Amino acid sequence: MSKTINKEDITILVADASEMFDETGCVPGLDGEEVPAESIVPHAKQYISETIDDSNALCDSKILDTPGFTLVISWLSQKWLQKCQKLAPRGTKNPDQHLSKQQQNECLDSAAAELVREITQRQLLN
């Protein structure tokens, strides 16, 4: 039987991950160890890319329940949607629905590169 984490618990864990990032530039990894946040970006990018290609794609629940992954995927998905919004018709509420998979993946590539730059710059400032 698997342990299910409810939304309230996830919110607390992500808040803790965010605090850890603010203090150290790291987030909790799969085993709870501190890992650099930018090292999770490729995994988050792969997850989003798989959902672009197949909206029914499943990710390992162990990864999805990792607060660091959840935090980074949240950051990356926000950036990705912002990039998609710039290409979609004006006033579109769901820009990703108006773009081809190729355009969505190009936005994702750009968003991931931008997120890694921001994380790296933030670490240099601390």
Side-chain angles (χ1 to χ4, degrees), residues 81-97:
L81 289 174
Q82 288 170 355
K83 300 281 184 186
C84 288
Q85 186 70 47
K86 291 179 182 178
L87 293 179
R90 209 170 209 162
T92 302
K93 292 191 185 247
N94 296 317
D96 52 310
Q97 293 178 350

Side-chain angles (χ1 to χ4, degrees), residues 60-78:
D60 182 354
S61 62
K62 182 179 178 184
I63 294 171
L64 283 178
D65 290 343
T66 304
F69 183 81
T70 303
L71 181 63
V72 173
I73 202 165
S74 171
W75 293 339
L76 182 55
S77 62
Q78 288 174 25

Side-chain angles (χ1 to χ4, degrees), residues 42-125:
H43 303 289
K45 179 182 169 191
Q46 178 182 350
Y47 172 73
I48 293 172
S49 180
E50 288 173 3
T51 61
I52 289 170
D53 294 334
D54 177 8
S55 61
N56 295 320
L58 297 175
C59 185
D60 182 354
S61 62
K62 182 179 178 184
I63 294 171
L64 283 178
D65 290 343
T66 304
F69 183 81
T70 303
L71 181 63
V72 173
I73 202 165
S74 171
W75 293 339
L76 182 55
S77 62
Q78 288 174 25
K79 288 198 168 300
W80 170 61
L81 289 174
Q82 288 170 355
K83 300 281 184 186
C84 288
Q85 186 70 47
K86 291 179 182 178
L87 293 179
R90 209 170 209 162
T92 302
K93 292 191 185 247
N94 296 317
D96 52 310
Q97 293 178 350
H98 296 278
L99 303 177
S100 69
K101 289 180 181 184
Q102 180 180 350
Q103 289 172 310
Q104 291 180 55
N105 278 307
E106 289 170 359
C107 289
L108 181 59
D109 290 342
S110 176
E114 183 177 314
L115 181 57
V116 168
R117 275 193 307 275
E118 287 178 7
I119 291 170
T120 304
Q121 287 174 349
R122 184 174 181 160
Q123 289 172 343
L124 293 174
L125 296 174

